[in-house]
Amino acid sequence: MTEKSPQDNKHPEKPAQQPSTPESSAPKPTPPPAPAKPEEQVEKPPQPPELTLKVCAAISECKPYSAASDCPTVEVIPENLVKVLTALRDNQDFAFSMLMDHTAVDRIEDGKFELVYRLYSLTTLSMLLVSTKIPRDKPIIPTVSHLWDIAEWQEREVYDLFGVLYDNHPDLRRVFLEDDWVGFPLRKDYKDDFMLTLDIDSLRE
Amino acid sequence: MLENLLTHSAFEILTLSDRAAQALAENPWEAAGYTLLALGGTGAFLSLLGMALIYVERKVAAHFQCRLGPMRVGWHGMLQSIADALKLLQKEDIIPEKADKLLFFLAPVFSIIATVLALIIIPMSPSLQVVDLNIGVIFISAVGGFGVLGILLAGWSSNNKWSLLGAMRAGAQFISYEISVTLSLLVITLLAGSLQLSEIVQSQQDGWWIWRGHIVGVVAFFVFIISSTAELNRPPFDLPEAESELTGGFHTEYSGLRFSFFFLAEFINMFIASALGATLFFGGWMPFHIGGFETFNSIMDLIPPGLWFAGKTAFIVFLMMWVRWTFPRLRVDQLMRLEWKFLLPVGFINLFAAATIVLTKLYFFPGQ
Amino acid sequence: MAVKISTLEERISVPAEGDNPLNTQEYFINMGPQHPATHGVLRLMLKLDGETVREVIPVLGYIHRGIEKIGEHQTYRQFVHLTDRCDYLSAMMNNWAVSLMVEKAMQTQLNDRIEYIRTIMAELERIQSHMLWWGVLGMDLGAFTPFLYGFRDREMITDIFEETIGCRLTMNYIQPGGLMDDIHPNFVKRVKDVIAYAKPKIDEYEELLSGNVIIQERLRNVGTITAEQATSLGVTGPVLRASGVALDLRRVAPYGAYGQVDFEVAVGSVGDCWDRYWVRVEEIRQSFRIIEQLIDNIPAGKTMLSKPAKKIILPEGSHYAQLETARGILGIYAVSDGKSENPVRIHMRSPNYHNVWSVDAMTRNARIGDLVANISSLDIVVPDIDR
């Protein structure tokens, strides 16, 4: 019935070298020394972190993030987004092989959506935030789902909740809400009949 | 009638149908009485046995899982099955709107009829057997094949894709494993030289076939127990109703009384498979005998044959429950691979070996 | 630029693709939202060809509660309570992620007592989560007995939680700036009892399930995803490690007391269901090891810092913290305007949302039974997917 006996295969073989992810070659017991700790606190004065400067030096389209962020952050214009992300993924110095997270922030006071792409590198264990701003009234941005598989669904989530349209997306559909839902709930100006507009401060008094 | 019961020798088989046939010449009412006894007895036996088996299954499962099982209804939950049966009877009978209503209605009936037909030829003791057909083994195979019809119809008529998937799985699985069951039945038929179940039992007077037929008997027994578990669609072969895959498979749309028919048929089928295993391999109601050891044999004879039968059947039932609560389920292609690439060749080789053994009289006590 | 918005109906009316020599008809079938193998209200549209799964389309949103939207109207302390309801099997790790984010943004230094207790609690939570998963995997594969064994032993750990915290599932024990309350006087003793009881049990369970031929058949070389696929799909946690990528935040970016303990990161090699199984079973053992090292050395100290103050206002800008829950990396991303108690935007990078999509890559051209094994080996908690 079976070619494998359960006893001799109780544990899988120790990891074979995975070519794409050098991190995996680290044998189990020894901890990787965590070369760059991106989560470290950023000083208040606008001195960008080392990684931001390195990225900006390597890829001319990037510039350091203007606002405060606790993580190395670069800013790009929407037209250059795909180019920059491709470069960041394929450049061996950075090798951001994981798109850890992608979401949007509604900057209603500027009339913009800020889209953030959180990249993670398995080689340097560093994290980079790529930020781009698109106008709220024309929220179209090219998709990056051909770069990372997961982007397809992260973008669907952002479309669902913010209404950001992704150009060339293979399957742009709502992900949580129904297909015929009207409006995009995470926008700051979203109104719904069922929403409670309770003033909590007045309740406290 | 009573004299008849008392005076016949220990191992003289007297089935209810024989008695009815005997009585028909003298007193038609007696014949009718026997027939009614057979009908009512089978019906009562069916429902009581079903409830008992469900209770046992739950208790065995509970103890395998380090818990108590039903404890509230009656002493140690003895009446739990009756309470469950009452609950099932009270349930609303739901027929899906788009179901094929006639077939939907017929499917559980087919299922239970196949079970009853198989039940009546089981020799439970020399004086307790409804019919003793001279083609018993063939009859069992034929009726066993009939049972799958109920399941196929249930899956088809429910008009539910999951049910249909379950039914198709059931069809493929039952037809495949039927072959292996029949091959192992044939081994015993060869050894015993008869298709009649009562004669197969009597042929084991010197020893049960599982040890008289040594290797061949043991192999045939294991092929039989594996493939009949598959035919019963009990875990690890419960693919037709795979709870976590098909949400109940062929009986997804059934509820209440109709569901209880399937449920009952499943448990009675388990009893029939075990009883058949006991009859063919462990000598049925025949006490444990060793050819030539007359003293030992007569001590063994002190235990009534009905008890022997019940004990052996209970042992195999327990074996099946043990397997059920221990093993996970196979995948559908692995199931087919097990049958066609393993059990079937083994069954055929075993059949050839059995033929050789019978020809050369290599089994134990061939002369007697 | 015209962007095409599709709907589910359009999606499932796509004509069949792939080689199909018998010219059989493919059909769609709904698995869920009520289905025993989908662990809640996950709905999968399956494109089937007989028994063969051609495509899996997860359809989400059946338990979407808009936690991110609610979070915009809540303070950070209040938001901790909502995170419990996401991945309820790693409730305390979820609490911790928010607390970590707040503490990082406020640059709070915690004392060792808080860090130790948090680490022990998180590891206990991880053990109970994996124990539950172990049982449920058995049940999904058709063996009901492991389910009860797994649940029974998990109860012992939830009893400990109940004694200290008062809750068994949604604890919100870890708060920004410390812990809700001190540990119960019995805590250390009971944890030791559980370790003494459960460690041999793990070996027993391995005999019951891991050593079983059918389990091996069902899990080996089923649902394989390579390391490249796994990184591209953004999966994390045991699923990623099973594919051979040793990314464990407890090791590569230690938080809590993980920097002070000795443990190994279980890494698989093939990336099939069996590796995911083995990685999790090994993680239970390693978690016991971590707890054993910490449980005797819990230092004295306060369990709630007076700082941060009652009113938490994060500095302006974006803040992010991530940690390793039982299912993968949970990241909390918050944008604060520096004036209000409420975040402008709070986002959870949920491990389950990222893991669930790999089920399609795993299951293409496999059987329905493999699909069930794959879902089970992903260890999905649906409320965390939908949030």
Side-chain angles (χ1 to χ4, degrees), chain C residues 317-340:
Chain C
S318 67
H319 308 281
Y320 181 80
Q322 57 181 11
L323 52 71
E324 188 84 25
T325 74
R327 271 155 209 82
I329 293 176
L330 172 72
I332 303 282
Y333 173 70
V335 179
S336 171
D337 56 2
K339 296 187 281 273
S340 154

PDB file of all heavy atoms in Angstrom, chain C residues 317-340:
ATOM      1  N   GLY C 317       2.677  60.420  12.308  1.00  0.00           N
ATOM      2  CA  GLY C 317       3.401  59.579  11.367  1.00  0.00           C
ATOM      3  C   GLY C 317       2.859  58.170  11.377  1.00  0.00           C
ATOM      4  O   GLY C 317       1.848  57.884  12.002  1.00  0.00           O
ATOM      5  N   SER C 318       3.529  57.316  10.650  1.00  0.00           N
ATOM      6  CA  SER C 318       3.057  55.935  10.566  1.00  0.00           C
ATOM      7  C   SER C 318       3.890  55.054  11.470  1.00  0.00           C
ATOM      8  O   SER C 318       5.097  55.251  11.620  1.00  0.00           O
ATOM      9  CB  SER C 318       3.128  55.450   9.119  1.00  0.00           C
ATOM     10  OG  SER C 318       4.458  55.358   8.715  1.00  0.00           O
ATOM     11  N   HIS C 319       3.215  54.105  12.064  1.00  0.00           N
ATOM     12  CA  HIS C 319       3.878  53.202  13.006  1.00  0.00           C
ATOM     13  C   HIS C 319       3.524  51.772  12.636  1.00  0.00           C
ATOM     14  O   HIS C 319       2.410  51.495  12.210  1.00  0.00           O
ATOM     15  CB  HIS C 319       3.422  53.492  14.432  1.00  0.00           C
ATOM     16  CG  HIS C 319       3.541  54.914  14.807  1.00  0.00           C
ATOM     17  ND1 HIS C 319       4.737  55.475  15.171  1.00  0.00           N
ATOM     18  CD2 HIS C 319       2.627  55.914  14.826  1.00  0.00           C
ATOM     19  CE1 HIS C 319       4.547  56.759  15.408  1.00  0.00           C
ATOM     20  NE2 HIS C 319       3.274  57.046  15.197  1.00  0.00           N
ATOM     21  N   TYR C 320       4.492  50.921  12.817  1.00  0.00           N
ATOM     22  CA  TYR C 320       4.254  49.526  12.435  1.00  0.00           C
ATOM     23  C   TYR C 320       5.002  48.639  13.398  1.00  0.00           C
ATOM     24  O   TYR C 320       6.134  48.921  13.784  1.00  0.00           O
ATOM     25  CB  TYR C 320       4.746  49.284  11.011  1.00  0.00           C
ATOM     26  CG  TYR C 320       4.522  47.877  10.493  1.00  0.00           C
ATOM     27  CD1 TYR C 320       3.283  47.493  10.009  1.00  0.00           C
ATOM     28  CD2 TYR C 320       5.551  46.947  10.482  1.00  0.00           C
ATOM     29  CE1 TYR C 320       3.071  46.225   9.529  1.00  0.00           C
ATOM     30  CE2 TYR C 320       5.345  45.672  10.004  1.00  0.00           C
ATOM     31  CZ  TYR C 320       4.103  45.320   9.523  1.00  0.00           C
ATOM     32  OH  TYR C 320       3.893  44.055   9.043  1.00  0.00           O
ATOM     33  N   ALA C 321       4.349  47.561  13.808  1.00  0.00           N
ATOM     34  CA  ALA C 321       5.047  46.544  14.592  1.00  0.00           C
ATOM     35  C   ALA C 321       4.508  45.203  14.158  1.00  0.00           C
ATOM     36  O   ALA C 321       3.341  45.085  13.767  1.00  0.00           O
ATOM     37  CB  ALA C 321       4.799  46.743  16.076  1.00  0.00           C
ATOM     38  N   GLN C 322       5.374  44.242  14.175  1.00  0.00           N
ATOM     39  CA  GLN C 322       4.915  42.928  13.764  1.00  0.00           C
ATOM     40  C   GLN C 322       5.477  41.877  14.694  1.00  0.00           C
ATOM     41  O   GLN C 322       6.521  42.059  15.308  1.00  0.00           O
ATOM     42  CB  GLN C 322       5.332  42.639  12.326  1.00  0.00           C
ATOM     43  CG  GLN C 322       6.804  42.729  12.092  1.00  0.00           C
ATOM     44  CD  GLN C 322       7.155  42.448  10.651  1.00  0.00           C
ATOM     45  OE1 GLN C 322       6.284  42.394   9.807  1.00  0.00           O
ATOM     46  NE2 GLN C 322       8.429  42.269  10.386  1.00  0.00           N
ATOM     47  N   LEU C 323       4.762  40.790  14.811  1.00  0.00           N
ATOM     48  CA  LEU C 323       5.272  39.672  15.600  1.00  0.00           C
ATOM     49  C   LEU C 323       4.723  38.374  15.026  1.00  0.00           C
ATOM     50  O   LEU C 323       3.914  38.364  14.090  1.00  0.00           O
ATOM     51  CB  LEU C 323       4.912  39.826  17.083  1.00  0.00           C
ATOM     52  CG  LEU C 323       3.483  40.087  17.517  1.00  0.00           C
ATOM     53  CD1 LEU C 323       2.608  38.896  17.321  1.00  0.00           C
ATOM     54  CD2 LEU C 323       3.488  40.501  18.973  1.00  0.00           C
ATOM     55  N   GLU C 324       5.211  37.303  15.584  1.00  0.00           N
ATOM     56  CA  GLU C 324       4.915  35.987  15.053  1.00  0.00           C
ATOM     57  C   GLU C 324       3.770  35.387  15.867  1.00  0.00           C
ATOM     58  O   GLU C 324       3.938  35.065  17.034  1.00  0.00           O
ATOM     59  CB  GLU C 324       6.176  35.125  15.159  1.00  0.00           C
ATOM     60  CG  GLU C 324       6.095  33.795  14.493  1.00  0.00           C
ATOM     61  CD  GLU C 324       6.408  33.863  13.013  1.00  0.00           C
ATOM     62  OE1 GLU C 324       7.122  34.794  12.603  1.00  0.00           O
ATOM     63  OE2 GLU C 324       5.926  32.995  12.282  1.00  0.00           O
ATOM     64  N   THR C 325       2.611  35.252  15.270  1.00  0.00           N
ATOM     65  CA  THR C 325       1.538  34.547  15.965  1.00  0.00           C
ATOM     66  C   THR C 325       1.635  33.069  15.603  1.00  0.00           C
ATOM     67  O   THR C 325       2.558  32.644  14.912  1.00  0.00           O
ATOM     68  CB  THR C 325       0.155  35.080  15.563  1.00  0.00           C
ATOM     69  OG1 THR C 325      -0.146  34.610  14.257  1.00  0.00           O
ATOM     70  CG2 THR C 325       0.112  36.574  15.582  1.00  0.00           C
ATOM     71  N   ALA C 326       0.674  32.311  16.073  1.00  0.00           N
ATOM     72  CA  ALA C 326       0.721  30.869  15.801  1.00  0.00           C
ATOM     73  C   ALA C 326       0.581  30.591  14.311  1.00  0.00           C
ATOM     74  O   ALA C 326       0.924  29.519  13.843  1.00  0.00           O
ATOM     75  CB  ALA C 326      -0.378  30.161  16.572  1.00  0.00           C
ATOM     76  N   ARG C 327       0.072  31.550  13.557  1.00  0.00           N
ATOM     77  CA  ARG C 327      -0.180  31.313  12.144  1.00  0.00           C
ATOM     78  C   ARG C 327       0.728  32.077  11.211  1.00  0.00           C
ATOM     79  O   ARG C 327       0.687  31.846  10.006  1.00  0.00           O
ATOM     80  CB  ARG C 327      -1.631  31.669  11.832  1.00  0.00           C
ATOM     81  CG  ARG C 327      -2.515  30.526  12.032  1.00  0.00           C
ATOM     82  CD  ARG C 327      -3.916  30.942  12.320  1.00  0.00           C
ATOM     83  NE  ARG C 327      -4.476  29.902  13.136  1.00  0.00           N
ATOM     84  CZ  ARG C 327      -4.291  29.821  14.430  1.00  0.00           C
ATOM     85  NH1 ARG C 327      -3.644  30.768  15.063  1.00  0.00           N
ATOM     86  NH2 ARG C 327      -4.753  28.812  15.109  1.00  0.00           N
ATOM     87  N   GLY C 328       1.487  32.996  11.743  1.00  0.00           N
ATOM     88  CA  GLY C 328       2.374  33.750  10.879  1.00  0.00           C
ATOM     89  C   GLY C 328       2.559  35.159  11.392  1.00  0.00           C
ATOM     90  O   GLY C 328       2.339  35.434  12.566  1.00  0.00           O
ATOM     91  N   ILE C 329       2.974  36.015  10.496  1.00  0.00           N
ATOM     92  CA  ILE C 329       3.346  37.361  10.919  1.00  0.00           C
ATOM     93  C   ILE C 329       2.111  38.233  10.961  1.00  0.00           C
ATOM     94  O   ILE C 329       1.403  38.387   9.974  1.00  0.00           O
ATOM     95  CB  ILE C 329       4.400  37.942   9.968  1.00  0.00           C
ATOM     96  CG1 ILE C 329       5.696  37.156  10.098  1.00  0.00           C
ATOM     97  CG2 ILE C 329       4.628  39.413  10.271  1.00  0.00           C
ATOM     98  CD1 ILE C 329       6.763  37.571   9.150  1.00  0.00           C
ATOM     99  N   LEU C 330       1.884  38.795  12.133  1.00  0.00           N
ATOM    100  CA  LEU C 330       0.799  39.760  12.283  1.00  0.00           C
ATOM    101  C   LEU C 330       1.443  41.134  12.410  1.00  0.00           C
ATOM    102  O   LEU C 330       2.274  41.350  13.282  1.00  0.00           O
ATOM    103  CB  LEU C 330      -0.032  39.454  13.527  1.00  0.00           C
ATOM    104  CG  LEU C 330      -1.069  40.506  13.868  1.00  0.00           C
ATOM    105  CD1 LEU C 330      -2.210  40.467  12.888  1.00  0.00           C
ATOM    106  CD2 LEU C 330      -1.598  40.321  15.264  1.00  0.00           C
ATOM    107  N   GLY C 331       1.067  42.028  11.522  1.00  0.00           N
ATOM    108  CA  GLY C 331       1.604  43.386  11.588  1.00  0.00           C
ATOM    109  C   GLY C 331       0.481  44.356  11.863  1.00  0.00           C
ATOM    110  O   GLY C 331      -0.631  44.202  11.369  1.00  0.00           O
ATOM    111  N   ILE C 332       0.759  45.332  12.723  1.00  0.00           N
ATOM    112  CA  ILE C 332      -0.222  46.383  12.973  1.00  0.00           C
ATOM    113  C   ILE C 332       0.367  47.676  12.434  1.00  0.00           C
ATOM    114  O   ILE C 332       1.469  48.078  12.809  1.00  0.00           O
ATOM    115  CB  ILE C 332      -0.518  46.529  14.481  1.00  0.00           C
ATOM    116  CG1 ILE C 332      -1.002  45.208  15.069  1.00  0.00           C
ATOM    117  CG2 ILE C 332      -1.534  47.627  14.701  1.00  0.00           C
ATOM    118  CD1 ILE C 332      -2.410  44.871  14.784  1.00  0.00           C
ATOM    119  N   TYR C 333      -0.362  48.276  11.520  1.00  0.00           N
ATOM    120  CA  TYR C 333       0.091  49.510  10.887  1.00  0.00           C
ATOM    121  C   TYR C 333      -0.862  50.597  11.314  1.00  0.00           C
ATOM    122  O   TYR C 333      -2.075  50.473  11.118  1.00  0.00           O
ATOM    123  CB  TYR C 333       0.073  49.317   9.378  1.00  0.00           C
ATOM    124  CG  TYR C 333       0.362  50.542   8.553  1.00  0.00           C
ATOM    125  CD1 TYR C 333       1.638  51.087   8.531  1.00  0.00           C
ATOM    126  CD2 TYR C 333      -0.622  51.133   7.779  1.00  0.00           C
ATOM    127  CE1 TYR C 333       1.917  52.197   7.764  1.00  0.00           C
ATOM    128  CE2 TYR C 333      -0.346  52.245   7.006  1.00  0.00           C
ATOM    129  CZ  TYR C 333       0.927  52.777   7.012  1.00  0.00           C
ATOM    130  OH  TYR C 333       1.197  53.872   6.242  1.00  0.00           O
ATOM    131  N   ALA C 334      -0.329  51.632  11.934  1.00  0.00           N
ATOM    132  CA  ALA C 334      -1.199  52.711  12.398  1.00  0.00           C
ATOM    133  C   ALA C 334      -0.657  54.035  11.906  1.00  0.00           C
ATOM    134  O   ALA C 334       0.553  54.247  11.888  1.00  0.00           O
ATOM    135  CB  ALA C 334      -1.281  52.712  13.917  1.00  0.00           C
ATOM    136  N   VAL C 335      -1.557  54.880  11.476  1.00  0.00           N
ATOM    137  CA  VAL C 335      -1.173  56.232  11.091  1.00  0.00           C
ATOM    138  C   VAL C 335      -1.841  57.163  12.070  1.00  0.00           C
ATOM    139  O   VAL C 335      -3.053  57.124  12.264  1.00  0.00           O
ATOM    140  CB  VAL C 335      -1.629  56.541   9.649  1.00  0.00           C
ATOM    141  CG1 VAL C 335      -1.240  57.959   9.282  1.00  0.00           C
ATOM    142  CG2 VAL C 335      -1.024  55.548   8.691  1.00  0.00           C
ATOM    143  N   SER C 336      -1.032  57.987  12.702  1.00  0.00           N
ATOM    144  CA  SER C 336      -1.566  58.907  13.704  1.00  0.00           C
ATOM    145  C   SER C 336      -1.355  60.338  13.233  1.00  0.00           C
ATOM    146  O   SER C 336      -0.385  60.631  12.549  1.00  0.00           O
ATOM    147  CB  SER C 336      -0.856  58.671  15.036  1.00  0.00           C
ATOM    148  OG  SER C 336      -1.212  59.670  15.951  1.00  0.00           O
ATOM    149  N   ASP C 337      -2.282  61.201  13.628  1.00  0.00           N
ATOM    150  CA  ASP C 337      -2.092  62.603  13.268  1.00  0.00           C
ATOM    151  C   ASP C 337      -1.410  63.364  14.389  1.00  0.00           C
ATOM    152  O   ASP C 337      -1.194  64.571  14.277  1.00  0.00           O
ATOM    153  CB  ASP C 337      -3.438  63.243  12.906  1.00  0.00           C
ATOM    154  CG  ASP C 337      -4.451  63.108  14.032  1.00  0.00           C
ATOM    155  OD1 ASP C 337      -4.078  62.547  15.086  1.00  0.00           O
ATOM    156  OD2 ASP C 337      -5.590  63.553  13.863  1.00  0.00           O
ATOM    157  N   GLY C 338      -1.076  62.700  15.476  1.00  0.00           N
ATOM    158  CA  GLY C 338      -0.358  63.356  16.558  1.00  0.00           C
ATOM    159  C   GLY C 338      -1.229  64.219  17.445  1.00  0.00           C
ATOM    160  O   GLY C 338      -0.736  64.854  18.366  1.00  0.00           O
ATOM    161  N   LYS C 339      -2.511  64.284  17.155  1.00  0.00           N
ATOM    162  CA  LYS C 339      -3.389  65.135  17.961  1.00  0.00           C
ATOM    163  C   LYS C 339      -4.461  64.317  18.671  1.00  0.00           C
ATOM    164  O   LYS C 339      -4.812  64.584  19.809  1.00  0.00           O
ATOM    165  CB  LYS C 339      -4.079  66.171  17.059  1.00  0.00           C
ATOM    166  CG  LYS C 339      -3.101  67.143  16.416  1.00  0.00           C
ATOM    167  CD  LYS C 339      -3.801  68.233  15.678  1.00  0.00           C
ATOM    168  CE  LYS C 339      -4.305  67.811  14.329  1.00  0.00           C
ATOM    169  NZ  LYS C 339      -3.330  67.948  13.232  1.00  0.00           N
ATOM    170  N   SER C 340      -4.945  63.275  17.979  1.00  0.00           N
ATOM    171  CA  SER C 340      -6.119  62.579  18.493  1.00  0.00           C
ATOM    172  C   SER C 340      -5.722  61.266  19.147  1.00  0.00           C
ATOM    173  O   SER C 340      -4.665  60.693  18.858  1.00  0.00           O
ATOM    174  CB  SER C 340      -7.083  62.341  17.329  1.00  0.00           C
ATOM    175  OG  SER C 340      -7.879  61.225  17.584  1.00  0.00           O
TER     176      SER C 340
END
